[in-house]
């Protein structure tokens, strides 16, 4: 069972051809551009504009592991977007890189109309997770070429996704164009750590990205075991990344998530802020980390916490103000 039929039908009416930008319509089991006639399949009720390609590992992990936890997901969503749940009702939201759909579900249950987009077939899992929400729909598509109307969303968010493309900024810029003037945009990216941590991580990932998924998962089982040991998950994983989540299944999934993807780039707060400014956003706010505590903040502020993020939210200026402050 997947996302409701009515939600997917409404989505088809909102789709735009990623090649020419014109409206699309249903043609048997495909969506077809009304002008250039290019068409794409609908599989399990979801329009599929792309295959998994270099992001196949995400489709595998989100479809295999059960990692949604309602209370935790709501808390994480609010911390990493800067948006409270009470203000989402009636908004049109885009989950850019929805993965298994945890945060699309959070928004939908708070009363938002949501489109979740992901490059991988993780949208199949997301659709099943949100099957009870008639106002939530999904599309499998490249975030750099989303088949959606520009400037049509009240709120766009992307949590831990864009840094898995060959060019993080190109994804950021493409998704930014979908935010309405006056709308909000929240992005969470991996933080750049100390040079020695980056070197160790690069060395490990040169090996893990060449492993078969089955072999890597066996390796991640060891990471999950270490993550359950208090001393290891407070000290050793500042050198070699593995998850310390309370749930063993989450630890395996999170560790696989770190070591499997072909691309993984790390960024700074200054870098992400500059992207927002260049894209015509103001009211830029750097969000604090979800976790607190004196020791946590000490290592976080010194870029010593592997897997932590740079997290910024901002509001899109009106077209007039954006052109005035960012002349072409």
């Amino acid at each position: 069972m997947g996302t409701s039929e009515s939600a997917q039908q409404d989505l088809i009416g909102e789709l735009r051809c990623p090649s020419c930008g014109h409206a699309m319509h249903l043609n048997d089991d495909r969506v077809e551009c009304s002008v250039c006639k290019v068409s794409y399949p609908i599989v399990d009720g979801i329009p599929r504009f792309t295959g998994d390609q270099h992001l196949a590992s995400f489709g595998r992990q989100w479809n295999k592991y059960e990692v949604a936890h309602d209370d935790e997901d709501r808390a994480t969503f609010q911390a990493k977007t800067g948006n409270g749940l009470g203000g989402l009702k009636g908004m049109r939201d885009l989950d850019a890189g929805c993965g298994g759909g945890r945060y699309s579900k959070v928004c939908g249950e708070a009363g938002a109309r949501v489109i979740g987009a992901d490059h991988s077939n993780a949208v199949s899992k997301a659709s099943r997770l949100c099957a009870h929400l008639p106002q939530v729909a999904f599309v499998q598509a490249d975030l750099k070429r989303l088949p959606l109307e520009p400037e049509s969303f009240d709120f766009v968010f992307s949590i831990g996704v864009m840094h898995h493309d060959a060019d993080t900024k190109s994804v950021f810029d493409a998704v930014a164009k979908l935010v309405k003037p006056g709308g909000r945009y929240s992005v969470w990216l991996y933080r750049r750590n100390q040079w020695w941590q980056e070197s160790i991580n690069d060395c490990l990932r040169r090996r893990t990205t060449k492993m078969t998924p089955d072999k890597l998962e066996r390796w991640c089982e060891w990471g999950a075991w270490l993550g359950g040991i208090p001393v290891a998950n407070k000290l050793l994983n500042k050198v070699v990344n593995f998850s310390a989540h309370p749930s063993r299944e989450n630890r395996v999934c999170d560790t696989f998530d770190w070591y499997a993807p072909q691309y993984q780039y790390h960024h700074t707060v200054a870098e992400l802020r500059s992207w927002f400014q260049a894209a015509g956003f103001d009211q830029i706010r750097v969000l604090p980390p979800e976790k607190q505590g004196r020791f946590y903040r000490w290592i976080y502020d010194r870029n010593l916490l592997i897997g932590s993020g740079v997290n910024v939210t901002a509001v899109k200026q009106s077209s007039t103000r954006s052109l005035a402050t960012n002349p072409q």
Side-chain angles (χ1 to χ4, degrees):
M1 183 178 180
T3 305
S4 72
E5 184 176 343
S6 62
Q8 294 302 139
Q9 288 176 344
D10 289 345
L11 170 65
I12 289 169
E14 299 175 2
L15 293 177
R16 297 294 179 268
C17 176
S19 298
C20 70
H22 285 88
M24 306 195 78
H25 63 272
L26 184 65
N27 185 358
D28 293 327
D29 58 351
R30 302 179 71 86
V31 286
E32 182 177 285
C33 177
S34 57
V35 175
C36 70
K37 303 304 180 182
V38 64
S39 68
Y40 302 89
I42 299 174
V43 180
D44 296 330
I46 302 172
R48 312 275 180 158
F49 290 82
T50 187
D52 282 358
Q53 293 148 342
H54 67 279
L55 296 168
S57 65
F58 292 105
R60 177 187 175 99
Q61 77 182 54
W62 296 127
N63 279 292
K64 180 173 183 176
Y65 296 106
E66 298 295 337
V67 295
H69 305 283
D70 288 347
D71 290 343
E72 177 183 305
D73 294 341
R74 284 190 286 266
T76 297
F77 171 83
Q78 292 179 92
K80 292 186 176 179
T81 66
N83 252 18
L85 301 182
L88 293 177
K89 188 173 182 179
M91 294 180 69
R92 187 168 188 260
D93 295 353
L94 172 64
D95 184 352
C98 63
R102 289 180 291 177
Y103 305 122
S104 295
K105 179 175 181 282
V106 168
C107 289
E109 289 179 341
R113 292 182 59 230
V114 186
I115 294 178
D118 202 274
H119 199 128
S120 79
N121 67 12
V123 291
S124 296
K125 175 64 170 290
S127 178
R128 295 192 296 271
L129 186 70
C130 297
H132 62 297
L133 296 168
Q135 75 278 28
V136 180
F138 296 93
V139 60
Q140 183 174 348
D142 184 346
L143 295 187
K144 299 189 297 297
R145 301 178 69 244
L146 286 174
L148 301 166
E149 185 73 27
E151 297 191 341
S152 61
F153 289 90
D154 302 299
F155 176 46
V156 176
F157 62 93
S158 184
I159 300 175
V161 176
M162 296 179 175
H163 46 238
H164 291 305
D165 189 87
D167 182 354
T168 309
K169 187 176 183 297
S170 69
V171 186
F172 175 93
D173 287 338
V175 175
K177 294 175 182 176
L178 296 169
V179 185
K180 287 180 179 179
R184 182 167 293 279
Y185 187 26
S186 299
V187 175
W188 189 98
L189 301 173
Y190 283 144
R191 176 179 293 263
R192 187 179 301 163
N193 297 120
Q194 296 296 325
W195 67 268
W196 55 272
Q197 292 170 307
E198 297 289 339
S199 296
I200 293 170
N201 186 61
D202 289 345
C203 182
L204 288 170
R205 280 184 34 81
R206 276 194 292 272
R207 295 192 64 183
T208 62
T209 54
K210 293 179 174 63
M211 292 180 181
T212 65
D214 288 341
K215 182 177 180 180
L216 179 57
E217 282 183 335
R218 290 194 296 271
W219 193 85
C220 292
E221 293 279 353
W222 285 100
W225 176 74
L226 285 170
I229 300 174
V231 174
N233 66 32
K234 287 182 170 57
L235 297 175
L236 182 57
N237 73 346
K238 308 305 180 286
V239 179
V240 176
N241 191 33
F242 52 87
S243 174
H245 194 280
S247 163
R248 181 185 173 281
E249 187 163 9
N250 283 77
R251 293 200 298 271
V252 176
C253 181
D254 290 348
T255 305
F256 185 85
D257 178 272
W258 182 267
Y259 288 106
Q262 179 180 351
Y263 299 113
Q264 185 197 92
Y265 294 102
H266 300 177
H267 300 278
T268 66
V269 171
E271 190 176 18
L272 185 52
R273 283 180 61 98
S274 72
W275 296 353
F276 274 98
Q277 290 168 341
F281 287 79
D282 60 12
Q283 301 180 46
I284 298 171
R285 181 161 58 99
V286 178
L287 299 174
E290 181 178 1
K291 296 180 181 177
Q292 296 297 318
R294 185 175 298 176
F295 178 67
Y296 185 93
R297 285 309 299 262
W298 188 90
I299 58 176
Y300 177 88
D301 290 340
R302 287 157 180 79
N303 300 321
L304 287 163
L305 191 63
I306 302 174
S308 61
V310 295
N311 197 183
V312 175
T313 185
V315 174
K316 193 170 192 176
Q317 302 171 22
S318 68
S319 298
T320 302
R321 289 184 61 199
S322 179
L323 290 172
T325 56
N326 295 282
Q328 301 298 311

